[in-house]
Amino acid sequence: MTKFGIIKERKNPPDRRVVFSPNGLRSVVSKFPKASFNVEHSDVRIFKDEAYTEAGFTVSEDLSDCDVLLGVKEVPISALIPNKKYFFFSHTIKKQPYNRDLLNAILKKNIELYDHEVIVGQNGFRLIGFGKYAGIVGAYNGFRAWGLKYNTFTLPKAETLSDQKALELELSKIKLPNIKIVLTGNGKVGGGAKEILEAMNIRQVTVEEYLDTIFDEPVYVQIDVLDYSKRKDGKILDKNDFYKNPGEYEGDFMRFAKVSDMYIAGHFYGDGAPFIFTRDDAKSRDFNIKLVADISCDIDGPVASTIRSSTIADPIYGYDPETETEIDYKDSKAITVMAVDNLPCELPKDASEGFGEMFLTSVIPAFFNEDKDGILERARMTQGGRLTKRYSYLQDYVEGKE
């Protein structure tokens, strides 16, 4: 028998998401009768305590008798229970300075940490995450920002709506001008954004059509790394070459920036890859993009207009390409930027249900099949008070040497 605990989210601002909904837990125990669950009392979670009780699960203030504790965001050091297995997004794998103390506390308390971000298959691709929901909310927020910038329509904030269907219903009420929208990314984030574009019945066109044709309706194009990057030597190779040799490539996004009105950034940016557009690109007279919905949200990174992340409370700012500074997003000189870095929090019900489905499919079986696919082994960052071999590169970070 393995006893799991669903922990209360304690980070501020409050996060309403959870690893499993009440129905999600029902699905787990029906498929894995040797799994049992306790749920920690929470007054912020999107699903009320009563919903878990009604589904047949115990809600309590104390999870100390659980073996494995499941959360979403970082657990405050004071709330960590020693000698347990924990799953949450620790934000330490890139040596984030603000979480060094957290990782040290995990080691001192002899906790086995499994980070959701490094739950990967044998091919190295992530198996679970909230990316799809970031894409859905990010695209919605982009259109909301467009309406505010031009005073043409008003959309309610996503966080005030119940689910994706409610977002799509609101979008169905607006009328867009004949704009061109470019979407980067073919992963979960790009797929989520595409769901919104499809729900709005915006026509998808090919790269050639997008670049060369004037349309009498709004259209979008979804592009991948070899559409917006090219080898410096002019050779045309495959995506694997780009991932292996990113330094051999330079940006080729300006051909899209010349003809686009709105840009939805849903790509993953790898170390060493060329920027999508630079600050100099944004100064060019040919740069036509008026609004950037940056779901990827890398600060001072591949999308030059993203000079800071924004918040759910205040999601939009303006970027002045000439001065490279923040200005009012309604200013005629401004590229309007939506760069909220915790977008899935605005759709907590759908995001939690989708995350739970992935966790049930990819992770829960490993507890009952002796981890035959190595899922737990690859995601285990700490064990016995030490970093595991796979994550030994963090040792200097833990010791404060970098």
Side-chain angles (χ1 to χ4, degrees), residues 204-212 215 220-223 256:
Q204 183 175 11
V205 297
T206 65
V207 168
E208 292 72 23
E209 289 172 318
Y210 188 87
L211 294 175
D212 300 333
F215 295 91
Y220 82 94
V221 66
Q222 184 175 24
I223 58 175
F256 296 95

Side-chain angles (χ1 to χ4, degrees), residues 41-223:
H41 159 71
S42 170
D43 46 13
V44 300
R45 196 180 287 131
I46 186 64
F47 303 101
K48 303 289 184 204
D49 286 353
E50 298 78 50
Y52 287 97
T53 306
E54 287 165 13
F57 299 96
T58 301
V59 175
S60 71
E61 301 275 1
D62 182 12
L63 298 184
S64 57
D65 63 339
C66 295
D67 310 306
V68 184
L69 300 169
L70 308 178
V72 177
K73 288 294 211 29
E74 299 103 310
V75 177
I77 290 170
S78 60
L80 289 168
I81 305 172
N83 308 313
K84 300 292 182 187
K85 295 180 170 74
Y86 271 92
F87 283 77
F88 57 85
F89 287 105
S90 72
H91 297 118
T92 56
I93 62 168
K94 295 178 183 173
K95 305 183 180 181
Q96 291 95 322
Y98 55 88
N99 279 335
R100 179 187 285 117
D101 290 346
L102 172 62
L103 188 51
N104 266 305
I106 285 165
L107 292 166
K108 283 175 187 160
K109 289 174 186 265
N110 190 35
I111 285 166
E112 266 186 42
L113 172 64
Y114 300 79
D115 191 307
H116 295 309
E117 198 169 347
V118 292
I119 296 172
V120 297
Q122 290 174 339
N123 57 8
F125 289 111
R126 286 179 63 181
L127 296 172
I128 62 171
F130 290 103
K132 172 185 170 182
Y133 303 94
I136 289 166
V137 178
Y140 176 89
N141 283 1
F143 290 112
R144 181 174 177 271
W146 185 280
L148 290 169
K149 179 181 175 76
Y150 293 109
N151 297 313
T152 47
F153 53 79
T154 305
L155 289 167
K157 281 194 167 187
E159 65 174 337
T160 67
L161 301 172
S162 58
D163 55 21
Q164 182 179 348
K165 285 182 180 172
L167 267 64
E168 291 174 357
L169 178 62
E170 292 296 333
L171 289 168
S172 71
K173 301 172 187 174
I174 68 171
K175 179 159 174 53
L176 289 174
N178 301 337
I179 59 173
K180 283 184 170 180
I181 303 161
V182 57
L183 165 64
T184 50
N186 277 315
K188 290 185 173 70
V189 176
K194 182 172 179 159
E195 283 189 25
I196 289 296
L197 296 166
E198 294 291 309
M200 293 173 72
N201 293 314
I202 298 174
R203 183 175 152 202
Q204 183 175 11
V205 297
T206 65
V207 168
E208 292 72 23
E209 289 172 318
Y210 188 87
L211 294 175
D212 300 333
T213 310
I214 295 171
F215 295 91
D216 57 4
E217 61 180 321
V219 298
Y220 82 94
V221 66
Q222 184 175 24
I223 58 175

